[in-house]
Amino acid sequence: MASSLTKASATPGTPGSEKSFFGHPRGLATLFMTEMWERFSYYGMRALLPLYLVAPGGLHLDAGTATAIYSVYVSLVYLLAMPGGWFGDRVWGPRKTVAVAGAVIMLGHLTLALPTSGTFYGGLGLVAIGSGLLKANISTMVGHLYNGPDDPRRDGGFTVFYMGINLGAFAAPLVIGTVGENVDWHLGFALAALGMALGLVQFLLGSRHLADRSSVVPKPLSAQEKSATLRKSAIWAGIAAVAYAAVGFSGHYTLNWILVPLTLLGVIIPVMVLVGIKRDKELDRAEQSKMSAYIWFFVAAAVFWMIYDQGGSTLSIFADSSADNSVLGWNFPVSWYQSVNPVLIMALAPVFAWVWLALNRRGKEPSTIVKFASGLVLVGASFFLFLAPLSIADGGHRAAALWLVAIYFTQTVGELLLSPVGLSVTTKMAPAKYASQMMGVWFLAVTAGDATTGLLSIAGVDLNKTGIVALEATLAAVAGAAVWMYRNKVKELMGDVR
């Protein structure tokens, strides 16, 4: 990356040295590389996870249990982004929180690399906790590099930063997936730990280029708040320890004693957070109206992510057992399918940005609601498409790899319609009182969607059956149609937001 660093006169107030990174503050290179390696470790491990869970040489679980574990893990990562942001705001500050998060993630991957099943779930928990701590805070530090929201380089800086995410996500399955599947599962997890170690070293060495405010705790806890927080945490930890000890010593413990509470929390907490904000009497009428509109977007997003994230579980397990994973006679690892989405994102995102600008100049750009509805319909269409390879497999044949690529392509187009719009509308519709928390609320839509998938799997629903896939596809299509049909009502509730 050194070749892309050029001398430039620093903008007054811009942190870091006089060097720039593609015309941006030097600290962006530090955060870009840190995030790229963190995503490399995260997506590499995630690509291996469902395959390892069902493999005879892995944990050899059934597909339903593997899907439940995968879904709970992903939902926890996004659920923990909210307390992760709270730690950055109230306890350690963003910079220290990211450093600690990187160490926790690395330790989690090292734990996964141990050749024992007993430590496996502890490793997953550590990676989820570390990812939650890192997720909100590293994006906050990108914003700190610029002179407020009106800095003309700010949007471009986040674009460069998100390229790092997709580069890491693209490379991870190709490297970690290949080693894990073809050489040794635990060596693959160890490579994920190495990736995070490289990211952590990059972060620590480049921290001097970050903004000074990244080390500041914006709203530190008072001594009284610290005491109350520690007391409550100790009480809840004690209750959990006693309860699980009782279950364990009685001989009734099963994996569902962990999975069921976590999936229920993944559904209940998002509902509680939304209800709490909606019932806040300090919000004025306009803010209340916007929150009513936002609930439409939130529910629609939860349905979207419920289906979309099965690309890493349901589709991956299907590919492992029932697809012809080859191109022109050359076989490739199943985990490579997880590189399809990030490479499509990198290829299509600039195209979408250009199209929206071109349509906007002509006054024809679709509204936020239409984009959202279209994203839902497309993710539903991807599962209608999934019915074809399922039918081929039911006939005793292996489905061609291009069927799966077509499904991932359709989902990616849907993601580009819904996800950036969702992030944007979240910031625009956030009540002033909850401005810093609403991004965490948006992530809870992912939590709710994945937790729902987990609950279905725990209940014994086979998500690779034609009837269930058709039902999920219909649900997404109907939800998209409902958002479109009630678009005028939602627009009215949104007030001045467009």
Side-chain angles (χ1 to χ4, degrees):
M1 285 298 179
S3 62
S4 56
L5 298 176
T6 56
K7 285 283 185 180
S9 58
T11 302
T14 298
S17 68
E18 291 184 351
K19 290 184 177 180
S20 69
F21 178 68
F22 292 116
H24 293 273
R26 175 63 179 85
L28 184 62
T30 297
L31 298 176
F32 175 96
M33 294 295 288
T34 303
E35 181 72 351
M36 185 189 76
W37 283 116
E38 188 274 330
R39 292 291 89 180
F40 176 85
S41 70
Y42 174 77
Y43 282 104
M45 186 278 283
R46 209 172 94 161
L48 284 184
L49 180 57
L51 304 175
Y52 173 74
L53 291 173
V54 300
L59 296 188
H60 205 189
L61 302 173
D62 61 84
T65 303
T67 300
I69 292 170
Y70 178 93
S71 300
V72 167
Y73 166 70
V74 176
S75 71
L76 270 181
V77 168
Y78 287 92
L79 179 63
L80 292 170
M82 281 197 79
W86 180 86
F87 261 88
D89 286 343
R90 308 297 308 275
V91 183
W92 290 329
R95 188 183 302 189
K96 184 177 179 180
T97 303
V98 167
V100 171
V104 171
I105 292 169
M106 183 178 65
L107 180 61
H109 287 305
L110 286 173
T111 305
L112 291 173
L114 296 174
T116 58
S117 59
T119 58
F120 183 80
Y121 299 107
L124 275 184
L126 287 171
V127 176
I129 291 168
S131 298
L133 285 170
L134 186 141
K135 197 167 187 65
N137 289 286
I138 195 165
S139 296
T140 298
M141 287 194 292
V142 174
H144 288 168
L145 295 171
Y146 300 95
N147 299 316
D150 295 327
D151 190 320
R153 301 167 302 162
R154 185 184 177 93
D155 286 352
F158 273 98
T159 300
V160 173
F161 177 70
Y162 286 122
M163 285 297 290
I165 293 176
N166 285 292
L167 280 172
F170 168 69
L174 304 181
V175 178
I176 295 174
T178 302
V179 171
E181 286 189 65
N182 295 340
V183 182
D184 182 81
W185 295 108
H186 299 285
L187 183 57
F189 294 132
L191 279 179
L194 176 62
M196 189 63 253
L198 291 172
L200 183 57
V201 169
Q202 167 74 27
F203 181 76
L204 295 175
L205 291 178
S207 288
R208 66 185 183 277
H209 299 296
L210 301 176
D212 291 338
R213 61 187 290 205
S214 294
S215 298
V216 176
V217 182
K219 190 180 178 184
L221 291 171
S222 65
Q224 185 178 0
E225 287 174 320
K226 283 183 181 178
S227 176
T229 301
L230 288 171
R231 185 172 61 253
K232 289 177 183 177
S233 300
I235 290 172
W236 282 110
I239 291 172
V242 170
Y244 280 102
V247 172
F249 286 124
S250 69
H252 291 93
Y253 178 81
T254 65
L255 190 57
N256 280 350
W257 280 96
I258 291 288
L259 294 179
V260 172
L262 289 177
T263 49
L264 288 174
L265 285 174
V267 174
I268 293 169
I269 290 177
V271 172
M272 288 178 61
V273 169
L274 282 176
V275 170
I277 295 175
K278 187 71 180 69
R279 295 179 64 183
D280 190 336
K281 298 188 185 304
E282 292 184 16
L283 303 187
D284 60 33
R285 181 175 295 180
E287 289 176 324
Q288 284 282 359
S289 179
K290 288 175 183 176
M291 281 307 302
S292 296
Y294 187 74
I295 289 172
W296 278 82
F297 292 111
F298 185 93
V299 173
V303 173
F304 178 91
W305 296 116
M306 179 186 74
I307 294 175
Y308 179 91
D309 275 346
Q310 287 184 59
S313 55
T314 304
L315 283 174
S316 188
I317 292 171
F318 172 83
D320 188 40
S321 63
S322 305
D324 177 17
N325 305 307
S326 65
V327 176
L328 300 176
W330 175 72
N331 294 318
F332 58 86
V334 175
S335 53
W336 283 23
Y337 285 111
Q338 302 309 308
S339 289
V340 174
N341 171 261
V343 77
L344 287 174
I345 289 286
M346 289 187 285
L348 295 177
V351 176
F352 271 73
W354 177 83
V355 168
W356 297 145
L357 283 173
L359 290 175
N360 184 268
R361 283 194 292 267
R362 300 174 187 174
K364 295 181 178 181
E365 183 182 359
S367 68
T368 294
I369 301 168
V370 171
K371 291 177 184 176
F372 235 80
S374 301
L376 272 169
V377 169
L378 279 170
V379 84
S382 76
F383 260 35
F384 280 124
L385 195 59
F386 187 22
L387 295 176
L390 281 173
S391 177
I392 293 169
D394 285 343
H397 304 284
R398 284 189 169 266
L402 283 177
W403 280 113
L404 294 172
V405 173
I407 294 168
Y408 287 119
F409 174 82
T410 307
Q411 290 185 345
T412 301
V413 175
E415 179 189 3
L416 286 168
L417 284 166
L418 182 139
S419 187
V421 172
L423 290 168
S424 177
V425 81
T426 296
T427 59
K428 290 177 181 177
M429 295 173 67
K433 181 179 177 180
Y434 297 98
S436 61
Q437 299 177 42
M438 282 300 287
M439 199 55 71
V441 174
W442 169 250
F443 288 142
L444 288 180
V446 186
T447 296
D450 283 305
T452 302
T453 300
L455 283 174
L456 291 171
S457 298
I458 291 169
V461 176
D462 187 346
L463 297 173
N464 264 320
K465 287 296 184 184
T466 302
I468 297 300
V469 170
L471 184 63
E472 289 184 87
T474 303
L475 173 64
V478 169
V483 170
W484 185 82
M485 286 172 61
Y486 287 91
R487 63 191 182 281
N488 292 331
K489 174 65 175 176
V490 177
K491 278 182 183 177
E492 183 183 332
L493 291 171
M494 289 171 70
D496 57 355
V497 175
R498 289 291 176 263

